[in-house]
């Protein structure tokens, strides 16, 4: 006599048969490609750049009023409304756009797929610096909680854009965390660093470290000097084992970590345009850089096998950020 199985047994057997295993991990290439369509994410700062996020300065720049000069600093801004433009002069915004267009053209010439943030509104004049509202790790994005009032609203447009592209959001920083992506950098695929200061606090570092720990990555938290806001003004990986640094603005303990990890360093000098540290690696030993840099420093880079394309970017830098600030890698090759 055949006994009909109970509904409870059928249910449990069905669940057992169709269970999804924990391995491979969420961020592995096969899993990302199968579920999310592409292998989104990065675990280094120098691998061949495949896709990047940018934002061309748009109508949000109209919030800048050249008549509102701050007497104590000589720059422009309105503390009550939260906007500021920290240079001594306000450029023609069409000139800024032309330089941004040149950056995008250079990226495309290097074979990089370029994506644009959608939905920037409300005078978010810093939105052209896409490095800050989020950071990419293996498998997706960590959304920032910005440390400047005028930048807080940028993450809404970023989140919607990432969702439209099908990029996973692994975490949105919350609570009392403060973080901007320009203060995050990869040293190697198993080690990253975050520079803490007025725009990034230890609570943000703790939350980011939780995400990275699931990927076997250690996050180092170092302190930036004074009111420096981001580490990308002091430290830039340019090849697998080579960094361009401003050693006078980095902790000695961090310099020792670089030595321990076999990272060679090229130090800029006071005669250099410090903006060269805010360059972008598009492949190991291959940079897009702004004008500037002494022959001495450039010769050291060339002797180390580094090549570069130089573009004019001084008008874009008047808004407070450089080429590195203006780009957030979405996909890089492993190194």
């Amino acid at each position: 006599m055949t006994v009909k199985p109970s509904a409870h047994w059928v249910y449990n057997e069905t669940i057992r048969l169709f269970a999804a295993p924990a391995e491979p991990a969420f961020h592995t290439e096969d899993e990302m490609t199968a579920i999310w369509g592409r292998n989104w994410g990065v675990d280094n700062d120098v691998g061949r750049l495949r896709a990047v996020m940018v934002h061309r300065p748009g109508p949000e720049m109209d919030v800048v009023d050249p008549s509102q000069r701050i007497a104590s600093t000589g720059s422009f801004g309105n503390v009550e409304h939260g906007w500021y433009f920290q240079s001594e002069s306000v450029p023609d915004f069409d000139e800024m756009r032309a330089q941004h267009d040149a950056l995008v053209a250079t990226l495309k010439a290097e074979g990089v797929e370029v994506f644009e943030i959608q939905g920037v509104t409300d005078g978010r004049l810093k939105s052209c610096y896409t490095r800050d509202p989020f950071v990419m790790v293996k498998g997706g994005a960590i959304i920032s909680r910005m440390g400047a009032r005028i930048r807080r609203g940028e993450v809404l447009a970023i989140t919607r854009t990432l969702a439209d592209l099908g990029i996973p959001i692994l975490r949105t920083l919350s609570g009392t965390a403060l973080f901007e992506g320009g203060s995050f950098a990869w040293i190697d695929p198993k080690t990253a660093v975050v520079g803490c200061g007025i725009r990034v606090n230890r609570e943000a570092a703790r939350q980011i470290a939780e995400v990275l720990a699931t990927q076997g990555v250690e996050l180092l938290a170092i302190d930036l000097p004074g009111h420096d806001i981001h580490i990308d003004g002091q430290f830039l990986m340019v090849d697998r084992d080579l960094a361009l640094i401003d050693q006078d603005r980095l902790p000695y303990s961090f310099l020792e970590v670089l030595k321990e990890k076999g990272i060679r360093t090229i130090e800029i000098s006071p005669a250099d345009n410090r903006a060269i540290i805010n360059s972008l690696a598009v492949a190991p030993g291959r940079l897009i850089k702004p004008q500037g840099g002494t022959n001495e420093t450039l010769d050291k880079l060339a002797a180390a096998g580094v090549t570069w394309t130089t573009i004019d970017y001084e008008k874009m830098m008047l808004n407070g950020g450089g080429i590195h600030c203006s780009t957030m890698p979405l996909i890089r090759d492993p190194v």
Side-chain angles (χ1 to χ4, degrees), residues 83-132:
W83 71 266
Y84 67 91
F85 198 93
Q86 64 202 64
S87 300
E88 294 181 356
S89 62
V90 176
D92 182 318
F93 295 139
D94 285 338
E95 293 179 347
M96 287 181 62
R97 293 177 185 113
Q99 291 191 345
H100 192 274
D101 291 343
L103 170 61
V104 170
T106 304
L107 287 163
K108 290 181 177 179
E110 294 283 347
V112 181
E113 188 175 6
V114 179
F115 294 94
E116 171 84 17
I117 298 172
Q118 303 299 317
V120 174
T121 59
D122 300 328
R124 308 289 180 191
L125 78 159
K126 301 289 187 178
S127 295
C128 56
Y129 302 130
T130 55
R131 178 70 54 163
D132 298 319

Side-chain angles (χ1 to χ4, degrees), residues 127-201:
S127 295
C128 56
Y129 302 130
T130 55
R131 178 70 54 163
D132 298 319
F134 69 116
V135 65
M136 288 293 289
V137 300
K138 291 295 291 183
I142 300 172
I143 303 297
S144 302
R145 184 169 182 259
M146 310 286 271
R149 283 181 292 160
I150 196 171
R151 305 206 69 176
R152 281 279 167 89
E154 291 180 33
V155 298
L156 180 58
I158 284 287
T159 301
R160 287 172 170 164
T161 301
L162 294 174
D164 286 344
L165 291 175
I167 298 177
I169 295 173
L170 305 182
R171 182 151 187 166
T172 299
L173 298 185
S174 58
T176 57
L178 291 177
F179 174 74
E180 295 177 355
S183 215
F184 177 93
W186 292 94
I187 300 172
D188 59 43
K190 292 298 181 183
T191 318
V193 60
V194 61
C196 297
I198 193 169
R199 296 284 185 87
V200 180
N201 61 16

Side-chain angles (χ1 to χ4, degrees), residues 254-319:
F254 180 63
L255 298 177
E256 287 296 290
V257 168
L258 296 179
K259 288 181 181 178
E260 291 169 4
K261 291 187 171 293
I263 305 298
R264 298 171 294 139
T265 58
I266 294 175
E267 303 162 12
I268 67 166
S269 74
D272 284 305
N273 178 356
R274 289 184 54 251
I276 63 173
I277 293 183
N278 206 265
S279 298
L280 176 71
V282 293
R286 175 71 180 160
L287 301 177
I288 300 175
K289 64 174 284 297
Q291 297 284 351
T294 60
N295 288 337
E296 178 184 5
T297 299
L298 297 181
D299 286 348
K300 289 178 181 177
L301 285 168
V306 179
T307 63
W308 56 83
T309 296
T310 302
I311 63 173
D312 292 326
Y313 215 65
E314 69 278 359
K315 301 299 183 183
M316 279 292 298
M317 289 191 290
L318 289 177
N319 195 16

Side-chain angles (χ1 to χ4, degrees), residues 35-49:
I35 304 301
W36 299 92
R38 299 184 67 171
N39 188 25
W40 298 109
V42 302
D43 66 356
N44 67 85
D45 275 345
V46 299
R48 172 64 67 179
L49 184 59

